[in-house]
């Protein structure tokens, strides 16, 4: 079964940290750029960060720059989103999506939100709550 599975969500206090994982099952994630999105209640889904299939390229939303990092472990077929100095406004359901970008596109990624772009795979989401 081909799937993306997120994990690592939970409750964290403001200023705390969480690490989210996006693991691929049934296929190799190495040929895919991976994007993290989040969606809070009553708000539109927004792109948080992405990493290219090669790992060379990354992007971050302005709201998380300097606080979040993204990385990938090709041996584990997993992409991580490290979230530090978390704020209440970071609370949302976080989703990862995979976008097959190879060859000349392997060093780039984008955070185009659906429906403007059709990603190849989506995870089921993991809840992140930031509260004291």
């Amino acid at each position: 079964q081909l799937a993306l599975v997120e994990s690592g969500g939970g409750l964290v206090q403001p200023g705390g940290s969480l690490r989210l994982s996006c693991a691929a099952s049934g296929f190799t994630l190495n040929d895919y750029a991976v994007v993290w999105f989040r969606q809070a209640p009553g708000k539109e889904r927004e792109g948080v960060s992405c990493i290219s299939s090669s790992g060379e390229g990354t992007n971050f939303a302005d709201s998380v720059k300097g606080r979040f990092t993204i990385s990938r472990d090709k041996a584990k077929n997993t992409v991580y989103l490290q979230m530090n100095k978390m704020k209440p406004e970071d609370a949302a359901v976080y989703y990862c999506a995979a976008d097959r970008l190879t060859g000349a596109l392997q060093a780039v990624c984008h955070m185009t939100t659906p429906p403007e772009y059709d990603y190849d795979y989506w995870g089921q989401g993991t809840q992140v709550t930031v509260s004291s």
Side-chain angles (χ1 to χ4, degrees):
Q1 184 178 0
L2 308 181
L4 283 178
V5 180
E6 300 101 334
S7 61
L11 173 65
V12 63
Q13 293 184 342
S17 299
L18 278 179
R19 188 179 77 161
L20 304 183
S21 299
C22 174
S25 175
F27 68 100
T28 176
L29 203 53
N30 297 342
D31 291 335
Y32 294 79
V34 174
V35 191
W36 283 99
F37 292 95
R38 66 186 181 188
Q39 188 165 19
K43 295 187 177 181
E44 295 186 352
R45 189 167 298 192
E46 64 172 342
V48 176
S49 181
C50 67
I51 186 167
S52 67
S53 57
S54 70
E56 297 172 60
T58 59
N59 283 304
F60 297 89
D62 288 343
S63 59
V64 306
K65 281 181 181 177
R67 300 188 297 120
F68 291 11
T69 60
I70 190 169
S71 61
R72 63 191 311 152
D73 186 329
K74 295 196 172 184
K76 294 184 178 180
N77 216 23
T78 300
V79 168
Y80 302 100
L81 182 69
Q82 178 68 44
M83 305 186 292
N84 299 325
K85 300 178 181 178
M86 296 186 69
K87 304 176 180 180
E89 51 263 43
D90 293 322
V93 178
Y94 282 70
Y95 302 88
C96 63
D99 181 19
R100 186 173 174 88
L101 294 177
T102 58
L105 299 177
Q106 65 180 328
V108 299
C109 67
H110 59 87
M111 300 186 289
T112 308
T113 53
E116 284 72 24
Y117 194 82
D118 188 19
Y119 291 89
D120 296 287
Y121 299 99
W122 282 91
Q124 81 289 350
T126 185
Q127 178 71 52
V128 171
T129 303
V130 185
S131 176
S132 54

